[in-house]
Amino acid sequence: MRSERALWTARGDEEDCGIAEDNTDLALAERSGIDDSIAYLRGAYPQAGWRTHANFGQLADFWLHVHESLRSEGAEVASVVDRFRVRQLDPHAFQRAFVPRLNGFLGHLEQHHQIEDAAYFPRFKTIDPRMVAGFDLLEADHALIHELLLKTVDDARALLTALALPGDAGLRAADGYAQRADRFLALMLRHLADEEEIVVPALLEHGERPLL
């Protein structure tokens, strides 16, 4: 069992997670969404009708459930940090609340992306060549998110260390952590929304059997 100070550690941290994209306008940190050339099935399958479509099955439902869980977990970590910043939690109570929530969130996010990269994205690409660009884009997102995830762990370690320092060092560290973590969370939310607009319409178009 992890201690209250033991933070999550990624496997393969030593790997190169550099991102090479031909069109920087599509980079996760630069875009506000994806256009129809990438999400080419979006128009045929509007989000409002996803759950009532005949091909909406267990995989699509699970995919959306995981994404909602990640959104909720990320928001919960941010809420704990904000409560500490406004002195609703003392340093010890903050540490007890922050560490397990951050560990759970980061571990869940990394595991989800690893499964997508290893199992699902390659299968999607074989179904229709038009999907390749979209899933290449999502894989590039994963690489950036992984880099930011590792930086988030480093920032969290620095924050925990600052809690033991005198004065308002912990609060100042929490302010800095929150600013960078908010950016990380915003990029994850952008990625999840874009991924859903690629993945779910593809499942509705082709069914889930080719992915299983």
Side-chain angles (χ1 to χ4, degrees):
M1 181 177 296
R2 293 179 184 273
S3 73
E4 293 170 1
R5 291 185 62 88
L7 285 168
W8 177 88
T9 301
R11 295 181 179 180
D13 290 359
E14 73 282 355
E15 294 178 0
D16 180 13
C17 296
I19 302 164
E21 291 189 9
D22 294 333
N23 188 347
T24 55
D25 291 339
L26 295 177
L28 180 58
E30 304 298 328
R31 70 179 190 258
S32 58
I34 48 176
D35 60 34
D36 290 340
S37 66
I38 298 293
Y40 66 92
L41 292 170
R42 177 172 52 194
Y45 301 98
Q47 185 174 1
W50 285 354
R51 291 187 175 274
T52 58
H53 192 278
N55 280 346
F56 186 89
Q58 292 182 349
L59 181 58
D61 185 57
F62 179 70
W63 211 297
L64 293 176
H65 173 73
V66 170
H67 281 194
E68 282 306 304
S69 296
L70 290 170
R71 292 180 178 106
S72 177
E73 291 165 10
E76 189 172 359
V77 174
S79 175
V80 169
V81 175
D82 287 343
R83 289 168 61 201
F84 174 64
R85 294 170 68 197
V86 298
R87 301 176 186 266
Q88 291 180 357
L89 294 174
D90 63 38
H92 183 61
F94 165 69
Q95 184 171 304
R96 285 191 290 112
F98 174 66
V99 172
R101 286 171 173 80
L102 182 65
N103 284 337
F105 168 54
L106 297 182
H108 190 189
L109 177 61
E110 182 79 347
Q111 181 185 49
H112 177 58
H113 285 177
Q114 288 174 344
I115 292 171
E116 289 178 330
D117 288 342
Y120 289 113
F121 287 4
R123 295 178 191 174
F124 273 115
K125 292 179 183 180
T126 65
I127 295 173
D128 185 335
R130 292 177 295 172
M131 293 190 192
V132 172
F135 285 98
D136 282 349
L137 182 69
L138 296 176
E139 288 173 351
D141 289 356
H142 288 181
L144 174 60
I145 289 170
H146 180 75
E147 289 184 342
L148 295 175
L149 184 152
L150 298 180
K151 291 177 181 177
T152 297
V153 172
D154 288 341
D155 289 341
R157 289 194 178 108
L159 169 55
L160 294 177
T161 298
L163 294 179
L165 299 178
D168 290 337
L171 292 172
R172 292 194 299 273
D175 289 342
Y177 172 88
Q179 182 177 11
R180 293 182 290 274
D182 286 350
R183 176 177 180 267
F184 171 53
L185 187 58
L187 292 178
M188 184 201 73
L189 295 176
R190 174 75 271 153
H191 166 74
L192 295 180
D194 291 346
E195 182 175 290
E196 290 170 4
E197 291 190 333
I198 294 172
V199 167
V200 178
L203 291 172
L204 301 183
E205 173 78 4
H206 299 284
E208 297 185 355
R209 185 174 297 274
L211 278 297
L212 301 176

